[in-house]
Amino acid sequence: MSTTYVRMEIFRTFRNTRFVLFAIAFPVLLFLLQATVFVNTDAPGHAQVAAVLMVNMMAFGTISGAMSVGGRLAFERAAGWQRQLRLTPLSGPGYLTGKAISGMLVTLPPLLLVPLVAVLFEGVSIDAGGWLHIVLGIWLGAIPFVLLGLLLGQFGTADSMQPVNMVVTMGMGFLGGLWIPIESMPGWLHTVSQAMPSYWLIQIARPVVTSELTTGFGTAAGVLAIFGLVFGVAMIRRYRKDSARV
């Protein structure tokens, strides 16, 4: 795998205005909207509520960034770029690994900007260990979403991937508890939400800012690892099947 290829992937991603707006600016703006408009800033416990909203929007921005790799992969398939790469020293595993690494790296801006805004404007205060738990936990928890994005990119087209990614990302956000409090969900919807990787992503971080959730870090990490394994195996099998046609 070439480091030059990874740098090129990252550069191409940040040149995409739609990615910058949706995956970086949108979570920050949505956090500020929720924290200042829908929450009484003078009410007791405002900082804790803001911290919960912060975790939700960190997760949403991370998922959006991770899933974006699928759109680039679909475009390259349509343009014949994958076939051209197979004629170069870059191997199939190297190609997919480069895509995965770039996907993980582009999740960092929303993961860092949302908490920065939360600290500066909403008074969120967490100790160093808590910040490490939240940021590192959500970042590593993005792996299944990168793999899911690569899997969808193997099926989608250059034109279809943007709406597909948006529907999947927003759907997982709603069902996973990123848009409405998990605690206020009806019982049946709470059960459905537990089938979403997005639910387990916020379970990794939210216990740092609230004591209302009972799921342990190890359980959430284990479930996300299972999602990652399933998505990863399916993505590799699809890539091999696609490669065999060439």
Side-chain angles (χ1 to χ4, degrees):
M1 180 188 62
S2 169
T3 56
T4 302
Y5 173 68
V6 175
R7 287 198 301 268
M8 180 186 71
E9 282 290 307
I10 298 171
F11 180 72
R12 288 173 56 200
T13 299
F14 284 100
R15 288 187 60 186
N16 187 326
T17 305
R18 287 176 295 184
F19 166 77
V20 173
L21 289 175
F22 187 70
I24 299 178
F26 188 55
V28 172
L29 294 175
L30 194 57
F31 165 72
L32 286 173
L33 177 67
Q34 292 178 325
T36 58
V37 176
F38 300 127
V39 180
N40 184 355
T41 56
D42 297 323
H46 166 74
Q48 185 183 47
V49 175
V52 172
L53 296 174
M54 174 195 74
V55 168
N56 289 353
M57 290 303 100
M58 289 170 70
F60 172 69
T62 299
I63 293 171
S64 299
M67 295 286 292
S68 68
V69 295
R72 299 195 302 276
L73 191 150
F75 176 81
E76 291 174 1
R77 286 177 60 244
W81 180 237
Q82 282 192 0
R83 291 190 295 271
Q84 293 298 321
L85 286 176
R86 293 180 189 125
L87 302 178
T88 71
L90 183 65
S91 64
Y95 172 74
L96 294 175
T97 302
K99 278 281 188 289
I101 291 175
S102 69
M104 289 297 293
L105 292 178
V106 298
T107 63
L108 289 174
L111 192 58
L112 299 176
L113 286 175
V114 172
L116 178 62
V117 171
V119 170
L120 293 178
F121 297 100
E122 298 302 328
V124 173
S125 178
I126 301 173
D127 60 45
W131 282 120
L132 181 64
H133 182 132
I134 291 173
V135 174
L136 188 60
I138 294 179
W139 188 61
L140 293 178
I143 293 174
F145 299 94
V146 171
L147 298 175
L148 176 60
L150 292 174
L151 173 61
L152 294 177
Q154 295 289 339
F155 289 94
T157 65
D159 293 329
S160 68
M161 278 309 298
Q162 182 178 359
V164 167
N165 273 346
M166 185 171 294
V167 169
V168 172
T169 300
M170 300 297 270
M172 287 195 300
F174 174 76
L175 294 175
L178 275 64
W179 304 113
I180 60 175
I182 295 172
E183 298 80 9
S184 66
M185 288 183 175
W188 67 270
L189 189 55
H190 195 182
T191 301
V192 171
S193 73
Q194 294 181 50
M196 298 289 110
S198 50
Y199 171 87
W200 297 101
L201 183 63
I202 60 173
Q203 293 293 322
I204 281 182
R206 283 188 65 185
V208 175
V209 297
T210 177
S211 59
E212 296 178 3
L213 297 179
T214 58
T215 301
F217 175 84
T219 300
V223 173
L224 283 173
I226 294 173
F227 274 112
L229 180 62
V230 172
F231 295 151
V233 169
M235 180 268 296
I236 292 172
R237 292 186 63 181
R238 175 63 187 183
Y239 181 81
R240 290 176 174 172
K241 183 178 180 180
D242 194 44
S243 299
R245 298 200 194 105
V246 180

